[in-house]
Protein backbone atom coordinates (compact mmCIF):
# COMPACT_ATOMS: atom_id res chain seq x y z
CA UNK A 1 0.00 0.00 0.00
CA UNK A 2 1.23 3.49 -0.88
CA UNK A 3 2.75 5.59 1.89
CA UNK A 4 3.35 9.31 2.23
CA UNK A 5 0.06 10.22 0.63
CA UNK A 6 -1.71 13.56 1.00
CA UNK A 7 -5.26 13.62 2.37
CA UNK A 8 -7.90 16.17 1.45
CA UNK A 9 -11.09 16.45 3.51
CA UNK A 10 -13.84 18.35 1.73
CA UNK A 11 -16.51 20.03 3.83
CA UNK A 12 -19.88 21.60 3.03
CA UNK A 13 -20.15 22.23 -0.71
CA UNK A 14 -16.93 20.40 -1.58
CA UNK A 15 -17.81 16.78 -2.23
CA UNK A 16 -15.31 15.88 -4.95
CA UNK A 17 -12.11 17.12 -6.59
CA UNK A 18 -11.71 16.98 -10.34
CA UNK A 19 -8.51 15.92 -12.02
CA UNK A 20 -7.63 12.81 -9.99
CA UNK A 21 -6.04 10.17 -12.20
CA UNK A 22 -6.21 6.45 -11.35
CA UNK A 23 -9.33 7.13 -9.29
CA UNK A 24 -10.57 4.41 -7.01
CA UNK A 25 -13.16 4.57 -4.20
CA UNK A 26 -11.83 2.47 -1.32
CA UNK A 27 -13.83 1.17 1.64
CA UNK A 28 -11.85 1.19 4.89
CA UNK A 29 -12.71 -0.70 8.07
CA UNK A 30 -11.55 0.79 11.37
CA UNK A 31 -11.66 -0.31 15.03
CA UNK A 32 -13.54 2.94 15.68
CA UNK A 33 -16.52 2.34 13.43
CA UNK A 34 -17.45 3.63 10.00
CA UNK A 35 -15.83 6.63 8.31
CA UNK A 36 -18.07 9.26 6.66
CA UNK A 37 -17.81 7.52 3.28
CA UNK A 38 -15.45 5.50 1.11
CA UNK A 39 -12.14 7.24 0.38
CA UNK A 40 -11.28 8.36 -3.15
CA UNK A 41 -7.65 7.49 -3.92
CA UNK A 42 -5.74 8.65 -6.96
CA UNK A 43 -3.00 10.98 -8.18
CA UNK A 44 -3.08 14.74 -8.40
CA UNK A 45 -0.29 17.03 -9.56
CA UNK A 46 2.32 14.29 -9.27
CA UNK A 47 1.38 13.04 -5.79
CA UNK A 48 -0.72 10.22 -4.42
CA UNK A 49 -3.80 11.68 -2.78
CA UNK A 50 -6.82 10.52 -0.81
CA UNK A 51 -10.07 12.51 -0.72
CA UNK A 52 -12.89 12.15 1.82
CA UNK A 53 -16.17 14.10 1.72
CA UNK A 54 -16.48 14.95 5.43
CA UNK A 55 -20.27 14.75 5.60
CA UNK A 56 -20.49 11.85 3.12
CA UNK A 57 -21.63 12.00 -0.50
CA UNK A 58 -25.06 13.65 -0.45
CA UNK A 59 -24.18 15.43 2.86
CA UNK A 60 -25.77 12.94 5.26
CA UNK A 61 -23.85 13.44 8.52
CA UNK A 62 -24.30 16.22 11.10
CA UNK A 63 -21.17 17.86 12.54
CA UNK A 64 -21.97 16.31 15.93
CA UNK A 65 -22.36 12.87 14.34
CA UNK A 66 -19.00 12.90 12.55
CA UNK A 67 -16.74 9.99 13.46
CA UNK A 68 -13.43 11.88 13.49
CA UNK A 69 -11.54 8.86 14.76
CA UNK A 70 -12.73 6.63 11.94
CA UNK A 71 -12.08 9.32 9.31
CA UNK A 72 -8.55 9.98 10.52
CA UNK A 73 -7.78 6.31 11.16
CA UNK A 74 -8.95 5.55 7.61
CA UNK A 75 -6.59 8.19 6.23
CA UNK A 76 -3.73 6.78 8.33
CA UNK A 77 -4.47 3.25 7.13
CA UNK A 78 -4.25 4.50 3.53
CA UNK A 79 -0.77 5.94 4.17
CA UNK A 80 -1.72 9.61 4.51
CA UNK A 81 0.82 11.83 6.33
CA UNK A 82 -0.55 15.32 5.55
CA UNK A 83 -4.19 16.44 5.62
CA UNK A 84 -5.65 19.57 4.06
CA UNK A 85 -9.15 20.39 5.29
CA UNK A 86 -11.33 22.65 3.15
CA UNK A 87 -14.16 23.97 5.30
CA UNK A 88 -16.99 26.47 5.16
CA UNK A 89 -16.87 29.03 8.00
CA UNK A 90 -18.66 32.16 9.11
CA UNK A 91 -16.73 35.42 9.38
CA UNK A 92 -16.50 36.96 12.85
CA UNK A 93 -14.73 40.16 11.73
CA UNK A 94 -15.55 42.73 9.03
CA UNK A 95 -12.15 42.21 7.37
CA UNK A 96 -13.10 38.64 6.34
CA UNK A 97 -15.53 38.83 3.44
CA UNK A 98 -17.45 36.01 1.74
CA UNK A 99 -15.11 34.11 -0.60
CA UNK A 100 -11.99 35.10 1.40
CA UNK A 101 -9.79 32.29 2.73
CA UNK A 102 -8.40 32.30 6.26
CA UNK A 103 -5.45 30.01 6.93
CA UNK A 104 -6.23 29.65 10.62
CA UNK A 105 -3.56 28.81 13.18
CA UNK A 106 -5.64 28.37 16.35
CA UNK A 107 -8.86 26.77 17.57
CA UNK A 108 -11.20 27.60 20.41
CA UNK A 109 -13.28 24.71 21.72
CA UNK A 110 -16.97 25.48 22.16
CA UNK A 111 -18.09 21.87 21.69
CA UNK A 112 -20.12 20.10 24.37
CA UNK A 113 -19.14 16.55 23.56
CA UNK A 114 -15.47 16.05 22.87
CA UNK A 115 -15.44 12.32 23.66
CA UNK A 116 -14.77 11.49 20.01
CA UNK A 117 -11.85 13.91 19.77
CA UNK A 118 -9.28 11.35 20.95
CA UNK A 119 -8.11 7.84 20.09
CA UNK A 120 -6.96 7.26 23.66
CA UNK A 121 -8.75 5.94 26.74
CA UNK A 122 -9.78 2.37 27.59
CA UNK A 123 -6.56 1.81 29.52
CA UNK A 124 -4.01 3.76 27.45
CA UNK A 125 -3.57 7.42 28.35
CA UNK A 126 -1.77 9.97 26.17
CA UNK A 127 -1.60 13.78 26.16
CA UNK A 128 -0.28 15.22 22.92
CA UNK A 129 0.99 18.82 22.73
CA UNK A 130 -1.64 20.98 21.02
CA UNK A 131 -0.38 24.52 21.67
CA UNK A 132 0.00 24.89 17.91
CA UNK A 133 -2.85 22.77 16.54
CA UNK A 134 -2.15 23.45 12.87
CA UNK A 135 1.01 22.20 11.14
CA UNK A 136 2.71 25.53 10.47
CA UNK A 137 4.82 24.03 7.66
CA UNK A 138 1.68 22.94 5.80
CA UNK A 139 -0.10 26.23 6.51
CA UNK A 140 2.84 28.13 4.98
CA UNK A 141 2.75 25.96 1.86
CA UNK A 142 -0.97 26.71 1.45
CA UNK A 143 -0.35 30.42 2.04
CA UNK A 144 2.30 30.53 -0.66
CA UNK A 145 0.00 28.81 -3.17
CA UNK A 146 -3.00 30.98 -2.24
CA UNK A 147 -0.94 34.15 -2.71
CA UNK A 148 0.50 32.90 -5.99
CA UNK A 149 -3.03 32.20 -7.28
CA UNK A 150 -4.21 35.64 -6.09
CA UNK A 151 -6.79 34.31 -3.63
CA UNK A 152 -8.00 36.81 -1.02
CA UNK A 153 -6.12 35.04 1.74
CA UNK A 154 -5.51 35.95 5.40
CA UNK A 155 -2.46 34.69 7.25
CA UNK A 156 -3.62 33.24 10.59
CA UNK A 157 -6.72 33.41 12.74
CA UNK A 158 -8.70 31.61 15.42
CA UNK A 159 -11.45 29.15 14.44
CA UNK A 160 -14.19 28.89 17.06
CA UNK A 161 -15.47 25.31 16.93
CA UNK A 162 -19.10 25.37 18.07
CA UNK A 163 -21.22 22.26 18.50
CA UNK A 164 -24.13 23.02 16.14
CA UNK A 165 -26.07 21.89 14.27
CA UNK A 166 -28.06 25.14 14.78
CA UNK A 167 -26.04 28.22 13.89
CA UNK A 168 -25.06 30.61 16.72
CA UNK A 169 -27.51 32.85 18.51
CA UNK A 170 -26.88 36.56 18.00
CA UNK A 171 -25.59 36.82 21.60
CA UNK A 172 -23.06 34.03 20.94
CA UNK A 173 -22.02 35.53 17.64
CA UNK A 174 -21.57 39.04 19.09
CA UNK A 175 -19.54 37.55 21.96
CA UNK A 176 -17.26 35.71 19.50
CA UNK A 177 -16.89 38.92 17.48
CA UNK A 178 -16.09 41.06 20.56
CA UNK A 179 -13.59 38.50 21.83
CA UNK A 180 -11.67 39.10 18.61
CA UNK A 181 -11.98 35.57 17.25
CA UNK A 182 -11.84 35.22 13.49
CA UNK A 183 -14.07 32.47 12.08
CA UNK A 184 -16.70 30.02 13.29
CA UNK A 185 -17.36 26.47 12.17
CA UNK A 186 -18.43 23.11 13.57
CA UNK A 187 -15.98 20.47 12.44
CA UNK A 188 -12.24 21.08 12.36
CA UNK A 189 -11.16 20.85 15.99
CA UNK A 190 -11.96 17.17 16.59
CA UNK A 191 -10.39 16.32 13.25
CA UNK A 192 -7.22 18.28 14.08
CA UNK A 193 -6.94 16.61 17.51
CA UNK A 194 -7.30 13.12 16.07
CA UNK A 195 -4.82 13.95 13.28
CA UNK A 196 -2.27 15.14 15.85
CA UNK A 197 -2.65 11.92 17.85
CA UNK A 198 -2.28 9.96 14.62
CA UNK A 199 0.95 11.92 13.95
CA UNK A 200 -0.32 13.52 10.75
CA UNK A 201 0.17 17.13 9.68
CA UNK A 202 -3.16 18.98 9.52
CA UNK A 203 -4.06 22.41 8.13
CA UNK A 204 -7.37 24.14 7.54
CA UNK A 205 -8.41 26.26 4.59
CA UNK A 206 -11.30 28.17 6.17
CA UNK A 207 -13.52 29.39 3.33
CA UNK A 208 -15.64 32.37 4.36
CA UNK A 209 -19.26 31.88 3.32
CA UNK A 210 -21.19 34.35 5.52
CA UNK A 211 -21.00 36.84 8.42
CA UNK A 212 -22.69 34.51 10.90
CA UNK A 213 -25.16 36.88 12.66
CA UNK A 214 -23.15 39.44 14.63
CA UNK A 215 -23.11 42.04 11.81
CA UNK A 216 -26.28 44.11 11.93
CA UNK A 217 -26.05 45.36 8.33
CA UNK A 218 -25.81 41.84 6.86
CA UNK A 219 -28.37 39.06 6.65
CA UNK A 220 -27.84 36.23 9.13
CA UNK A 221 -26.29 33.00 7.89
CA UNK A 222 -28.40 30.41 6.08
CA UNK A 223 -27.47 27.10 4.47
CA UNK A 224 -28.34 28.61 1.07
CA UNK A 225 -25.79 31.39 1.64
CA UNK A 226 -23.09 28.92 2.71
CA UNK A 227 -23.53 26.71 -0.35
CA UNK A 228 -23.84 29.63 -2.78
CA UNK A 229 -20.57 31.23 -1.62
CA UNK A 230 -18.69 27.97 -1.23
CA UNK A 231 -19.72 26.95 -4.74
CA UNK A 232 -18.48 30.30 -6.11
CA UNK A 233 -15.14 29.72 -4.42
CA UNK A 234 -14.70 25.96 -4.80
CA UNK A 235 -12.63 26.16 -8.00
CA UNK A 236 -10.16 28.50 -6.33
CA UNK A 237 -9.91 26.24 -3.26
CA UNK A 238 -9.21 23.23 -5.48
CA UNK A 239 -6.57 25.17 -7.47
CA UNK A 240 -4.80 26.17 -4.24
CA UNK A 241 -4.86 22.58 -3.00
CA UNK A 242 -3.50 21.27 -6.34
CA UNK A 243 -0.70 23.83 -6.38
CA UNK A 244 0.20 23.23 -2.72
CA UNK A 245 0.38 19.46 -3.16
CA UNK A 246 3.46 19.76 -5.37
CA UNK A 247 5.28 21.64 -2.59
CA UNK A 248 4.62 19.17 0.22
CA UNK A 249 7.76 17.17 1.00
CA UNK A 250 7.81 13.47 0.27
CA UNK A 251 9.34 12.62 3.66
CA UNK A 252 7.12 12.91 6.74
CA UNK A 253 9.55 14.42 9.24
CA UNK A 254 7.88 17.48 10.74
CA UNK A 255 7.42 17.67 14.56
CA UNK A 256 3.75 16.62 14.28
CA UNK A 257 4.91 13.39 12.64
CA UNK A 258 6.30 12.32 16.01
CA UNK A 259 3.63 13.89 18.24
CA UNK A 260 3.25 10.77 20.38
CA UNK A 261 6.89 10.75 21.39
CA UNK A 262 6.83 11.59 25.13
CA UNK A 263 3.00 11.83 25.11
CA UNK A 264 2.02 8.34 26.26
CA UNK A 265 1.61 8.14 30.04
CA UNK A 266 0.61 4.54 30.56
CA UNK A 267 3.23 1.94 31.36
CA UNK A 268 3.40 -0.48 28.42
CA UNK A 269 3.24 -3.36 30.87
CA UNK A 270 -0.38 -2.52 31.69
CA UNK A 271 -1.70 -1.72 28.20
CA UNK A 272 -4.91 -3.73 27.75
CA UNK A 273 -4.51 -6.12 24.81
CA UNK A 274 -7.68 -4.98 23.00
CA UNK A 275 -6.82 -1.26 23.25
CA UNK A 276 -3.26 -1.95 22.16
CA UNK A 277 -4.57 -3.85 19.18
CA UNK A 278 -7.07 -1.12 18.24
CA UNK A 279 -4.27 1.48 18.42
CA UNK A 280 -1.60 -0.66 16.75
CA UNK A 281 -1.53 1.47 13.61
CA UNK A 282 -0.84 4.59 15.68
CA UNK A 283 1.48 3.02 18.25
CA UNK A 284 3.58 0.77 16.01
CA UNK A 285 6.67 3.03 16.36
CA UNK A 286 6.39 2.88 20.13
CA UNK A 287 5.72 -0.82 20.74
C1 LIG B 1 -23.75 23.92 5.76
S1 LIG B 1 -23.40 25.17 6.91
C2 LIG B 1 -22.75 24.44 8.39
C3 LIG B 1 -21.74 23.37 8.17
O1 LIG B 1 -20.74 23.88 7.26
C4 LIG B 1 -19.47 23.68 7.86
O2 LIG B 1 -19.06 22.36 7.51
P1 LIG B 1 -17.59 21.95 7.05
O3 LIG B 1 -16.64 22.38 8.13
O4 LIG B 1 -17.63 20.47 6.90
O5 LIG B 1 -17.34 22.68 5.75
C5 LIG B 1 -19.75 23.83 9.33
O6 LIG B 1 -18.69 23.34 10.13
C6 LIG B 1 -21.03 23.06 9.49
O7 LIG B 1 -20.81 21.68 9.60
N1 LIG C 1 -21.83 30.95 10.43
C1 LIG C 1 -21.43 29.71 10.55
N2 LIG C 1 -21.42 29.09 11.75
C2 LIG C 1 -20.99 27.81 11.87
N3 LIG C 1 -20.57 27.07 10.85
C3 LIG C 1 -20.56 27.63 9.64
N4 LIG C 1 -20.19 27.15 8.45
C4 LIG C 1 -20.37 28.13 7.54
N5 LIG C 1 -20.85 29.24 8.12
C5 LIG C 1 -20.98 28.96 9.43
Amino acid sequence: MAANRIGIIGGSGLYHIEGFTNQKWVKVKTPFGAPSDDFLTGELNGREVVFLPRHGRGHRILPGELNYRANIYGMKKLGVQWIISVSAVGSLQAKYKPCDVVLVDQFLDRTKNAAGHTFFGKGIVAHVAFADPIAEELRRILLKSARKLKARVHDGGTYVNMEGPAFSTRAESITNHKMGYDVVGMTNLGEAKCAREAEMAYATMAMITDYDCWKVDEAHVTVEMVIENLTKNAAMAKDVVKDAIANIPTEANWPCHSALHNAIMTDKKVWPAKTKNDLKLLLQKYL
Side-chain angles (χ1 to χ4, degrees):
M1 198 259 309
N4 291 357
R5 283 171 154 166
I6 296 162
I8 304 158
I9 301 183
S12 299
L14 206 131
Y15 308 106
H16 67 277
I17 296 206
E18 300 81 6
F20 271 42
T21 52
N22 295 328
Q23 284 194 24
K24 198 167 144 206
W25 285 96
V26 181
K27 199 174 281 308
V28 179
K29 281 204 174 141
T30 91
F32 301 94
S36 294
D37 206 326
D38 295 347
F39 294 79
L40 180 67
T41 63
E43 279 154 43
L44 191 65
N45 209 5
R47 288 294 296 269
E48 292 213 40
V49 286
V50 179
F51 176 77
L52 179 70
R54 176 180 290 118
H55 301 275
R57 280 168 285 178
H59 203 123
R60 298 170 284 101
I61 307 168
L62 278 176
E65 293 174 330
L66 286 168
N67 189 340
Y68 298 112
R69 286 184 292 207
N71 290 348
I72 296 298
Y73 189 99
M75 287 279 185
K76 183 89 181 170
K77 204 168 167 186
L78 291 170
V80 167
Q81 301 275 16
W82 303 266
I83 295 179
I84 299 170
S85 154
V86 183
S87 267
V89 295
S91 163
L92 294 172
Q93 303 299 334
K95 65 180 173 185
Y96 307 124
K97 302 188 176 16
C99 295
D100 286 11
V101 184
V102 186
L103 292 171
V104 299
D105 54 4
Q106 281 297 328
F107 290 110
L108 191 94
D109 191 354
R110 287 264 167 81
T111 63
K112 308 218 165 36
N113 179 9
H117 293 186
T118 179
F119 286 103
F120 289 93
K122 299 201 172 138
I124 306 185
V125 175
H127 301 282
V128 288
F130 207 53
D132 299 303
I134 295 284
E136 180 62 13
E137 302 89 338
L138 187 53
R139 204 183 70 82
R140 294 251 145 235
I141 290 171
L142 289 165
L143 184 63
K144 198 169 157 206
S145 295
R147 284 183 172 152
K148 177 175 139 191
L149 295 171
K150 309 254 182 297
R152 294 200 319 252
V153 65
H154 303 263
D155 180 6
T158 298
Y159 175 124
V160 178
N161 199 125
M162 60 180 292
E163 178 86 13
F167 290 115
S168 302
T169 64
R170 210 174 303 278
E172 289 163 344
S173 191
I174 289 171
T175 305
N176 285 333
H177 165 67
K178 286 193 176 158
M179 291 298 288
Y181 303 135
D182 298 284
V183 302
V184 59
M186 306 178 191
T187 60
N188 276 222
L189 176 67
E191 214 164 80
K193 282 189 175 165
C194 288
R196 178 62 53 89
E197 289 184 350
E199 301 192 313
M200 294 146 98
Y202 183 93
T204 297
M205 282 182 72
M207 315 290 297
I208 303 283
T209 53
D210 57 88
Y211 285 103
D212 203 30
C213 62
W214 61 272
K215 204 169 184 294
V216 287
D217 56 347
E218 296 284 345
H220 65 73
V221 57
T222 62
V223 159
E224 198 184 4
M225 200 183 274
V226 170
I227 298 304
E228 189 186 320
N229 283 322
L230 204 290
T231 306
K232 271 190 209 155
N233 219 12
M236 184 278 289
K238 291 173 192 176
D239 286 347
V240 171
V241 169
K242 276 180 213 164
D243 189 78
I245 276 173
N247 296 319
I248 294 175
T250 48
E251 285 301 304
N253 57 10
W254 293 340
C256 52
H257 292 121
S258 51
L260 286 180
H261 182 67
N262 287 333
I264 304 165
M265 295 288 293
T266 311
D267 188 335
K268 268 187 215 168
K269 290 195 225 79
V270 299
W271 286 4
K274 160 106 177 55
T275 310
K276 182 176 164 185
N277 196 47
D278 287 351
L279 293 175
K280 203 164 58 193
L281 184 66
L282 273 53
L283 296 178
Q284 55 201 0
K285 280 176 12 199
Y286 304 98
L287 290 173

